[in-house]
Amino acid sequence: MGAASTQPQGVKFYELGLDERREWLGQQAGLSADELAALGGAAGLDPEQADHMIENVVGTFNLPLGIAQHFIINDRPVLVPMAIEEPSVVAGASFMARLAQSGGGFHAHVSAGEMIGQMQILDVDDLPSARLKLLEQRQALLEEAAQIDPVLQRLGGGPRDLQVRLIEDSPAGPFLVLHLIYDVRDAMGANAVNTAVERLAPRVEAICGGRVLFRILSNLADRRLARARCTVRLEALAFGEFSAESVRDGILAGWAFAAADPYRAATHNKGIMNGVDAVVIATGNDWRAVEAGAHAYAARSGRYTSLSTWGQDAAGNLVGTLEMPLAVGIVGGATRSHPTARAALQLMDIHTAAGLAEVIVSVGLAQNLAALRALATEGIQRGHMTLHARQVAIAAGAQGSEIERLAGQLVSEKTVRIDRAEEILRQWKHS
Ligand code: MEV
């Protein structure tokens, strides 16, 4: 059963204690005790399981797991698990998801789940004729590739197309590149694709007379795109001394900076990936693959630029879009073997890779908006300071309700330092 609401009635989620948050989450999402324990840190990946995942294991490594609130994605409320060490990210995503509710939440969809497997073909006599020989055998090669993974084939996946590219100029001279387009359904797909290109290589060599050297998936998954859009009603943008128009126009000017300048685009896209990676990690997916695909896609025109766009509609409301490759799965690897990843999928009531990608791309767009709104107004340090002040308060020895009170005082005094925090605590004890 999935989450019916994204926030507790009459009380803010972040104001609840750790145990109260867990209890609400368990009830809300209908999680089992084991799932709740996996999300709550009491259980999760143990060293014995980890020992079967990688080499030379000595233990496991933990990250904070937060729940982003207020997300409505394709008209469905979703509680989003985010694994990340950076303060402000979960709060920023939640707050922007709330602003986006003013315009109906996020609308997200994905293209087909097609990955690309590459073969580098060297030592062919005549590249153009070798290319045509391979294309002439396209159907036969696809039929052979379809035999490789009967399970995937039964699930409706498998080879979809074959392309042959000619690289005219490289440090190793000219060569051919064959692309096997492979629908991987609900898997991330690296294993299926790598197996397929390795198995097909001898047949390719026999057809074109060349030597297949590299056989590996491409992380530029530009046939597996996820897209999200949202509208934030103009009036929802106003806060403090900032008018709605000034916030919107500041966001648009800040986005233009990223659209035009790679130095800014790198940071802008990093902000998007703060949200994207946090969900990718929480669900046991390969965030290096997602990062590689995102940045390569951002540079596809030959100039690195923003992955998102921001503009305004006829009524002056803020409208945003994000389009990026998202090679994520819900079967295979850590998505199944990591208990917390399984519980994270259960929490979101996600049963397809496409559904997961729709959530992730929406969170990326929300995260981008959080950064743009802060940068266009009060700067990002203020929000960071509040969270930093909480950590300083805890380090100084504050407990329970003292933490918020002390953090608030440190921020209002603009002195977020441990010595001052300890001094205030001492004063409170003696008053
Ligand atoms: C910090 O982790 C992310 C930001 O730098 C993103 C941005 O500048 O857009 C705040």
Side-chain angles (χ1 to χ4, degrees):
M1 200 240 288
S5 164
T6 63
Q7 57 183 323
Q9 287 278 307
V11 55
K12 296 194 173 89
F13 187 67
Y14 65 82
E15 286 171 352
L16 299 175
L18 250 176
D19 286 339
E20 291 170 318
R21 282 187 213 132
R22 290 183 188 129
E23 194 186 322
W24 179 81
L25 201 63
Q27 287 166 359
Q28 189 60 28
L31 298 173
S32 69
D34 283 350
E35 287 162 346
L36 207 52
L39 287 172
L45 189 69
D46 64 44
E48 279 67 35
Q49 288 167 305
D51 198 25
H52 298 296
M53 289 171 79
I54 65 161
E55 309 73 39
N56 298 356
V57 166
V58 293
T60 57
F61 179 91
N62 293 323
L63 279 174
L65 184 77
I67 305 293
Q69 311 261 217
H70 309 303
F71 273 89
I72 308 286
I73 300 170
N74 296 337
D75 299 322
R76 188 173 80 91
V78 189
L79 290 164
V80 185
M82 300 178 76
I84 187 159
E85 85 298 345
E86 185 174 327
S88 300
V89 170
V90 178
S94 302
F95 189 24
M96 294 310 116
R98 188 146 71 79
L99 292 194
Q101 282 190 10
S102 68
F106 296 87
H107 300 275
H109 71 273
V110 295
S111 66
E114 291 175 357
M115 298 296 287
I116 299 167
Q118 295 195 293
M119 286 185 213
Q120 181 190 27
I121 311 170
L122 302 164
D123 304 340
V124 280
D125 293 338
D126 181 65
L127 291 175
S129 346
R131 177 172 172 269
L132 291 202
K133 282 182 196 164
L134 286 166
L135 289 175
E136 282 158 24
Q137 296 299 316
R138 175 182 170 278
Q139 199 51 40
L141 281 165
L142 289 178
E143 276 163 24
E144 183 158 340
Q147 312 296 315
I148 295 169
D149 191 336
V151 177
L152 190 60
Q153 199 69 21
R154 216 175 314 125
L155 293 169
R160 292 285 183 262
D161 202 1
L162 188 144
Q163 300 161 340
V164 187
R165 295 167 51 218
L166 215 154
I167 306 274
E168 310 260 9
D169 192 21
S170 87
F175 57 86
L176 291 180
V177 179
L178 183 144
H179 280 190
L180 179 66
I181 314 296
Y182 212 74
D183 187 327
V184 295
R185 302 271 107 178
D186 287 321
M188 182 274 183
N191 274 332
V193 169
N194 292 340
T195 303
V197 285
E198 286 194 5
R199 294 271 294 276
L200 214 55
R203 183 79 191 275
V204 166
E205 288 178 335
I207 293 169
C208 72
R211 175 169 64 96
V212 174
L213 187 63
F214 273 43
R215 299 143 293 166
I216 187 77
L217 155 123
S218 169
N219 287 121
L220 176 48
D222 61 0
R223 302 177 66 104
R224 202 178 189 184
L225 298 175
R227 306 183 180 100
R229 65 181 172 84
C230 70
T231 300
V232 181
R233 290 183 67 82
L234 181 60
E235 56 275 20
L237 288 169
F239 72 100
E241 80 240 37
F242 301 102
S243 71
E245 286 79 6
S246 73
V247 177
R248 179 199 60 204
D249 295 346
I251 289 171
L252 297 185
W255 167 72
F257 185 6
D261 174 28
Y263 285 91
R264 171 59 203 152
T267 323
H268 176 97
N269 290 340
K270 190 272 181 184
I272 292 172
M273 301 312 284
N274 276 344
V276 166
D277 285 341
V279 189
V280 169
I281 293 170
T283 54
N285 273 287
D286 180 347
W287 75 93
R288 287 88 55 211
V290 171
E291 283 278 342
H295 296 292
Y297 193 66
R300 67 194 180 283
S301 70
R303 184 173 59 81
Y304 186 87
T305 186
S306 164
L307 285 166
S308 64
T309 70
W310 291 94
Q312 58 179 301
D313 66 14
N317 301 313
L318 181 69
V319 289
T321 72
L322 174 60
E323 177 182 272
M324 59 183 289
L326 259 179
V328 290
I330 60 156
V331 294
T335 59
R336 276 290 156 92
S337 60
H338 196 305
T340 312
R342 280 203 313 270
L345 289 174
Q346 180 65 27
L347 170 66
M348 293 187 284
D349 201 13
I350 295 256
H351 304 282
T352 61
L356 176 59
E358 287 168 1
V359 170
I360 295 173
V361 71
S362 301
V363 176
L365 185 58
Q367 209 69 59
N368 184 217
L369 178 58
L372 292 179
R373 176 181 172 276
L375 289 166
T377 55
E378 56 192 14
I380 60 155
Q381 280 311 84
R382 201 185 131 89
H384 275 185
M385 271 305 146
T386 310
L387 284 153
H388 177 54
R390 269 191 219 151
Q391 282 161 5
V392 169
I394 293 166
Q399 288 181 342
S401 61
E402 281 177 348
I403 298 169
E404 284 306 312
R405 191 171 152 222
L406 181 54
Q409 181 160 340
L410 294 171
V411 170
S412 66
E413 287 180 5
K414 295 194 170 60
T415 316
V416 186
R417 281 203 328 257
I418 184 108
D419 57 331
R420 177 63 188 141
E422 285 167 350
E423 188 183 330
I424 297 171
L425 272 181
R426 271 196 304 274
Q427 285 166 2
W428 287 352
K429 291 220 165 79
H430 294 120
S431 62

